[in-house]
Amino acid sequence: MGDPAMKEKTMNKWVKTIQILSTTLALLITILYWDELRSITVSHIVDASPNTWIFAILIVLVYYVLKSFIMIVPVLIIQIAVGVIFPLPIALLVNLAGLMITLSISYGMGRLRGRNYVEKLIVKYPKSAVIETLPKKNPFLFCFIIHSISIFPMNMIGMFAGALHITYKHYFYGALFGSFVRVVSVTVMGTAATKPTSPTFLISLLVTILVSLISYWIYRMKIKKETESSAS
């Protein structure tokens, strides 16, 4: 058996290398295909050939894959951009597919890096310690709530879930259902992004805010309950 510390060090090097390569690849794709990306509009997509549809969707899904390795890129930006570019039904499908990709990759990275990585994240982001303490009794509900709030990066939650060995199906379905309403409302916002005073944009924005506030209230109640249970 090899040295666990050496294995962890090697794994961290691999993950860091993947993160650097992902960032570089995202920049290269943007530079190399800038003219094509810039020219993609709703009317272009609607009138385009199937090959153009496939190209645009694949580019977006590649960005979702790369986003899984780059924590600093907000998924919100991609989701709104997809709403701007595609007709609503296609945009929803693309964003949901991208969400599933990001959830799965970040979870897998957490499983590979292990619990020591969680401890390092807590040192770097002290507020993230709550992610480690809550999912013990009801991981599905925890993943549902924490994704509804959107106060932690999706990558971080997935890495915690994987590293803490939360059952994948509990994590995945909790995260998927917890993110669903926000993904729909943000995608609809994207379709109306050029008219930020329109009812469609404003209602979507209101739904997004309300879902986050209600989820945050439930989240605070759950923390309070857990704290009281631990104290008693």
Side-chain angles (χ1 to χ4, degrees):
M1 293 179 65
D3 182 6
M6 183 60 69
K7 286 184 177 180
E8 182 186 356
K9 188 176 180 180
T10 302
M11 182 58 65
N12 287 338
K13 284 183 178 179
W14 273 107
V15 173
K16 286 179 181 178
T17 301
I18 292 172
Q19 288 174 329
I20 293 171
L21 290 175
S22 298
T23 305
T24 304
L25 184 57
L27 291 172
L28 283 175
I29 290 174
T30 303
I31 293 170
L32 292 175
Y33 293 99
W34 176 247
D35 289 337
E36 290 89 342
L37 293 171
R38 186 178 56 181
S39 65
I40 294 175
T41 63
V42 174
S43 59
H44 185 198
I45 292 292
V46 170
D47 298 332
S49 66
N51 288 337
T52 304
W53 277 79
I54 293 170
F55 169 79
I57 292 171
L58 286 177
I59 288 292
V60 171
L61 293 181
V62 167
Y63 273 117
Y64 267 109
V65 172
L66 298 178
K67 186 267 173 290
S68 304
F69 299 100
I70 309 171
M71 197 175 297
I72 61 172
V73 179
V75 71
L76 190 71
I77 294 175
I78 302 177
Q79 290 170 344
I80 290 176
V82 169
V84 171
I85 294 170
F86 296 97
L88 183 57
I90 301 298
L92 288 172
L93 291 175
V94 171
N95 273 336
L96 288 172
L99 173 66
M100 294 178 192
I101 289 171
T102 302
L103 292 176
S104 298
I105 292 177
S106 57
Y107 179 88
M109 287 178 63
R111 287 298 291 263
L112 288 173
R113 301 192 78 168
R115 192 177 185 87
N116 288 339
Y117 179 66
V118 167
E119 294 172 358
K120 291 177 182 178
L121 276 179
I122 291 173
V123 172
K124 190 173 182 181
Y125 307 101
K127 290 184 179 179
S128 67
V130 69
I131 304 177
E132 183 186 23
T133 59
L134 288 181
K136 297 176 182 177
K137 294 183 179 179
N138 194 331
F140 173 86
L141 179 61
F142 165 77
C143 292
F144 179 91
I145 293 172
I146 206 73
H147 280 85
S148 299
I149 303 169
S150 301
I151 59 175
F152 297 107
M154 191 180 298
N155 309 52
M156 181 185 292
I157 302 170
M159 288 180 188
F160 266 81
L164 296 174
H165 287 240
I166 293 175
T167 306
Y168 175 74
K169 67 177 182 179
H170 290 155
Y171 156 76
F172 180 79
Y173 289 113
L176 183 63
F177 293 138
S179 303
F180 183 80
V181 174
R182 190 186 71 255
V183 170
V184 172
S185 59
V186 169
T187 304
V188 174
M189 279 174 59
T191 63
T194 56
K195 298 177 181 178
T197 58
S198 66
T200 300
F201 185 90
L202 294 176
I203 292 172
S204 301
L205 178 60
L206 181 61
V207 169
T208 303
I209 294 171
L210 284 176
V211 168
S212 295
L213 289 176
I214 293 170
S215 300
Y216 183 71
W217 178 79
I218 297 172
Y219 164 79
R220 295 299 302 176
M221 292 299 100
K222 186 169 178 60
I223 290 178
K224 184 178 179 181
K225 185 177 179 181
E226 291 287 335
T227 303
E228 291 173 351
S229 299
S230 300
S232 60

